[in-house]
């Protein structure tokens, strides 16, 4: 083994975590679909910073964890065992992504993330946790959880999830497609809930939708149109490019923990008088969910594509041609679920 | 001329009326409709361009489409002459193909950092 071996670097990071830990009890447990994640934080400040978006799925005790993450900051790591030419797409480090280990550098935060598929342990290291950008708070540890999910039937999907306790839908689309606005319009209806607005966990074998992050983001400009969101916005994060809403803090009854996944919706901005939900094709759904999920996160693109295909073939595909009024959009979505339930 | 689809670089799925193709290296993805689906399947099964034209009977649009596949690095020329058995709809419908490159930015290496001798990224000077 030489200094550039991923095993050695992983062990170096773990040792650094141990020496950086303040010794205060810092482990938290999170429900991850039908599994549990344990996260060890080296100090309480990082824990408080990173947990807001996971607060709705915290649990007190678990018998065993499917994955353990060590999260810490330390200035003592001053060199990396790789060179400049080793940085790849999405920060994946060439030579440090093997059948056992995954490694990526996170541009923006300067964080290094590793995952060991054998031990199911992940590491999130950053020099100073103040360097962690606001957007990481909206989907903490998404890269490590993506790596973990590769060994399961789960998929960390770049899509929103909405619906009711017994039936739900994905909402997928490009930036500007109306995905976030449509998702957040569900806050206006008592009978609709939101599992996530950006990433959701999905079981691709027996389609189930699981909430992972309770943070929703919306363009500041859209707040004028969606003024019902203004009281919900976290005003402590003003530096963000988007307004952030931690739904578990402000409207926790609207957060859907899990639901059977039946439908895929592709929103289309039409500026029509009325919102209409029409059937579309499986190919449209695959185009809307697969590339964006495959290329947002490092490695595993082929597996992700296969999981997206398996998922697509089990969902009924629809296009939502959006009207302009959020309340009307939500009413049409609500009526859709009511009608589908009556047809069962 | 025969061609190969490198499945380590290109993944695809064929539905009834549309094929979705993703180039893993470039991030571009594609929609194929009409006889573009059959051409893609025939090429993937080892049929030469001439054999595809014999099957589908429209040389101009088939040649254009195959040139597009080569240009987009979705296929590469090959010496392989072994054909896999394949059952497809051979009724010719003008090939339709569309490229989406909205993922391209996600694949660009980080534009705001550069890397020093030790491998440590630093923010570029403004």
């Amino acid at each position: 083994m030489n200094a550039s071996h991923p095993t050695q670097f992983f062990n170096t990071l773990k040792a650094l975590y141990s020496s950086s830990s303040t010794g205060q009890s810092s482990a938290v447990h999170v429900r991850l679909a039908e599994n549990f994640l344990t996260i060890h934080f080296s100090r309480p400040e990082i824990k408080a910073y990173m947990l807001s978006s996971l607060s709705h799925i915290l649990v007190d005790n678990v018998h065993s964890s499917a994955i353990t993450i060590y999260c810490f900051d330390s200035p003592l790591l001053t060199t990396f065992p790789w060179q400049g030419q080793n940085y790849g797409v999405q920060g994946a480090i060439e030579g440090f992504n093997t059948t056992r280990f995954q490694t990526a550098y996170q541009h923006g935060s300067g964080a290094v993330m590793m995952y060991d598929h054998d031990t199911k342990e992940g590491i999130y290291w950053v020099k100073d946790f103040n360097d962690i950008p606001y957007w990481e708070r909206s989907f903490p540890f998404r890269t490590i959880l993506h790596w973990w999910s590769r060994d399961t039937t789960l998929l960390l999907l770049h899509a929103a999830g909405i619906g009711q306790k017994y039936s739900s839908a994905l909402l997928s689309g490009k930036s500007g497609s109306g995905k976030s606005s449509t998702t957040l319009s569900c806050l206006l209806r008592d009978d609709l809930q939101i599992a996530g607005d950006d990433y959701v966990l999905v079981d691709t074998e027996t389609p189930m939708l699981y909430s992972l992050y309770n943070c929703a983001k919306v363009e500041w400009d859209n707040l004028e149109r969606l003024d019902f969101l203004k009281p919900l916005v976290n005003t402590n994060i003003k530096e963000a490019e988007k307004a952030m809403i931690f739904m578990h803090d402000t409207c926790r009854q609207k957060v859907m923990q899990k639901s059977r996944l039946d439908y895929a919706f592709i929103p289309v901005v039409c500026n029509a008088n009325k919102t209409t939900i029409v059937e579309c094709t499986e190919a449209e759904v695959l185009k809307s969910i697969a590339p964006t999920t495959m290329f947002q996160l490092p490695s595993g693109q082929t597996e992700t594509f296969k999981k997206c295909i398996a998922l697509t073939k089990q969902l009924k595909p629809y296009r939502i041609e959006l009207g302009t009024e959020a309340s009307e959009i939500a009413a049409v979505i609500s009526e859709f679920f009511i009608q589908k339930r009556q047809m069962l | 001329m025969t061609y190969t689809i490198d499945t380590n670089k290109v993944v695809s799925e064929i539905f009834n009326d549309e094929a979705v193709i993703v180039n893993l290296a470039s991030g571009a993805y594609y929609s194929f409709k009409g006889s573009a689906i059959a051409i893609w399947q025939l090429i993937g099964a080892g049929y030469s361009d001439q054999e595809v034209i014999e099957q589908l009977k429209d040389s101009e649009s088939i040649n254009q489409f195959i040139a597009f596949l080569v240009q987009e690095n979705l296929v590469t020329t090959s010496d392989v002459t072994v054909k896999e058995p394949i059952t497809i709809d051979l009724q010719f419908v003008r090939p339709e193909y569309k490229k989406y490159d909205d993922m391209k930015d996600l694949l660009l290496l980080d534009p705001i950092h550069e890397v020093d001798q030790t491998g440590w990224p630093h923010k570029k000077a403004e």
Side-chain angles (χ1 to χ4, degrees):
Chain A
M1 187 188 301
N2 60 46
S4 65
H5 197 283
T7 306
Q8 191 177 47
F9 187 55
F10 190 88
N11 290 335
T12 298
L13 287 174
K14 267 191 85 173
L16 199 54
Y17 167 81
S18 297
S19 64
S20 303
S21 177
T22 58
Q24 298 176 38
S25 175
S26 63
V28 297
H29 310 291
V30 172
R31 183 177 293 280
L32 205 57
E34 305 296 339
N35 308 280
F36 295 103
L37 154 70
T38 294
I39 313 170
H40 295 274
F41 293 95
S42 64
R43 54 197 182 97
E45 293 87 346
I46 308 178
K47 177 174 160 182
Y49 188 81
M50 295 289 272
L51 275 186
S52 304
S53 201
L54 296 168
S55 58
H56 65 303
I57 47 174
L58 290 175
V59 293
D60 289 337
N61 295 298
V62 296
H63 292 301
S64 64
S65 297
I67 168 175
T68 301
I69 294 175
Y70 299 90
C71 176
F72 68 110
D73 66 349
S74 168
L76 298 178
L77 185 68
T78 53
T79 58
F80 294 145
W82 53 75
Q83 301 297 314
Q85 68 270 21
N86 298 126
Y87 289 91
V89 169
Q90 300 295 356
I93 306 298
E94 183 187 12
F96 284 73
N97 284 280
T98 62
T99 51
R100 177 173 173 183
F101 288 99
Q102 311 252 225
T103 309
Y105 176 85
Q106 187 181 48
H107 296 294
S109 66
V112 170
M113 296 161 290
M114 285 195 83
Y115 182 67
D116 180 343
H117 285 277
D118 283 2
T119 64
K120 312 293 183 199
E121 291 178 313
I123 290 177
Y124 184 99
W125 166 88
V126 66
K127 186 183 269 186
D128 182 335
F129 92 92
N130 291 304
D131 295 337
I132 300 173
Y134 78 91
W135 40 260
E136 183 67 11
R137 295 184 70 182
S138 71
F139 37 58
F141 311 118
R142 67 174 172 158
T143 299
I144 295 172
L145 296 177
H146 158 65
W147 289 330
W148 167 76
S149 72
R150 291 181 62 185
D151 301 327
T152 72
T153 59
L154 296 167
L155 175 65
L156 183 60
L157 190 71
H158 187 216
I162 60 170
Q164 302 177 322
K165 188 173 181 181
Y166 301 103
S167 182
S168 63
L170 297 175
L171 264 169
S172 56
K174 297 171 189 171
S175 179
S177 66
K179 182 184 71 167
S180 284
S181 301
T182 306
T183 303
L184 291 167
S185 74
C186 296
L187 295 175
L188 293 167
R189 296 285 305 196
D190 288 343
D191 60 340
L192 293 176
Q193 290 183 298
I194 298 171
D197 117 302
D198 203 9
Y199 281 92
V200 288
L201 260 182
V202 172
D203 191 317
T204 57
E205 275 195 359
T206 50
M208 285 292 293
L209 174 69
Y210 296 95
S211 180
L212 183 55
Y213 303 123
N214 73 72
C215 180
K217 299 190 286 292
V218 61
E219 301 279 354
W220 290 103
D221 289 349
N222 278 346
L223 282 181
E224 291 309 311
R225 190 169 57 85
L226 306 169
D227 62 352
F228 63 94
L229 297 176
K230 285 181 180 172
L232 309 179
V233 170
N234 186 321
T235 54
N236 294 323
I237 316 177
K238 289 175 180 159
E239 78 279 13
E241 291 163 26
K242 293 182 179 181
M244 296 174 76
I245 297 167
F246 291 96
M247 294 185 286
H248 186 63
D249 295 340
T250 55
C251 50
R252 66 178 55 186
Q253 76 282 2
K254 301 301 296 182
V255 182
M256 181 168 61
Q257 299 263 352
K258 72 174 185 178
S259 176
R260 193 185 70 209
L261 184 57
D262 293 308
Y263 311 105
F265 292 163
I266 303 174
V268 181
V269 174
C270 295
N271 292 320
N273 291 331
K274 285 176 62 180
T275 297
T276 313
I277 300 180
V278 296
E279 289 183 12
C280 69
T281 65
E282 291 176 338
E284 286 179 76
V285 172
L286 186 65
K287 284 185 289 183
S288 76
I289 64 170
T292 188
T293 302
M294 292 162 70
F295 295 115
Q296 288 271 352
L297 298 167
S299 68
Q301 278 85 5
T302 301
E303 293 160 25
T304 298
F305 188 66
K306 288 177 180 169
K307 285 183 176 179
C308 286
I309 293 167
L311 180 64
T312 297
K313 291 185 172 180
Q314 296 176 84
L315 303 180
K316 298 177 188 72
Y318 291 91
R319 192 183 319 121
I320 305 188
E321 297 170 355
L322 297 170
T324 53
E325 289 296 321
S327 58
E328 190 264 345
I329 293 169
V332 171
I333 293 171
S334 169
E335 183 62 25
F336 174 90
F337 280 107
I338 291 168
Q339 282 188 6
K340 291 296 181 189
R341 194 154 186 208
Q342 286 171 346
M343 288 164 64
L344 291 177
Chain B
M1 183 81 74
T2 55
Y3 300 88
T4 302
I5 300 167
D6 184 347
T7 53
N8 290 317
K9 295 177 181 170
V10 177
V11 292
S12 63
E13 179 64 13
I14 295 166
F15 297 96
N16 287 339
D17 53 359
E18 186 174 356
V20 177
I21 319 296
V22 184
N23 184 329
L24 300 176
S26 71
Y29 58 105
Y30 306 82
S31 162
F32 296 170
K33 291 182 179 176
S35 285
I37 301 171
I39 299 167
W40 177 254
Q41 290 174 296
L42 287 165
I43 283 178
Y47 285 70
S48 70
D49 46 5
Q50 288 309 311
E51 288 168 327
V52 173
I53 290 167
E54 283 167 24
Q55 296 279 349
L56 291 169
K57 321 272 191 233
D58 185 295
S59 61
E60 186 183 349
S61 63
I62 291 170
N63 282 331
Q64 282 176 357
F65 180 56
I66 291 175
F68 173 79
L69 297 179
V70 172
Q71 176 193 312
E72 295 296 319
N73 296 315
L74 296 176
V75 298
T76 51
T77 53
S78 163
D79 297 329
V80 175
T81 54
V82 178
K83 284 196 272 294
E84 295 170 19
I86 182 170
T87 307
I88 56 165
D89 180 2
L90 292 174
Q91 185 182 350
F92 181 78
V93 179
R94 180 161 289 281
E96 291 180 37
Y97 43 103
K98 185 171 180 182
K99 177 182 180 180
Y100 302 84
D101 59 5
D102 50 297
M103 294 296 125
K104 195 169 66 179
D105 289 349
L106 288 175
L107 291 185
L108 294 175
L109 293 180
D110 180 60
I112 61 166
H113 290 80
E114 50 196 22
V115 182
D116 71 11
Q117 292 283 321
T118 65
W120 198 283
H122 293 281
K123 200 165 184 176
K124 283 180 181 172
E126 295 291 336

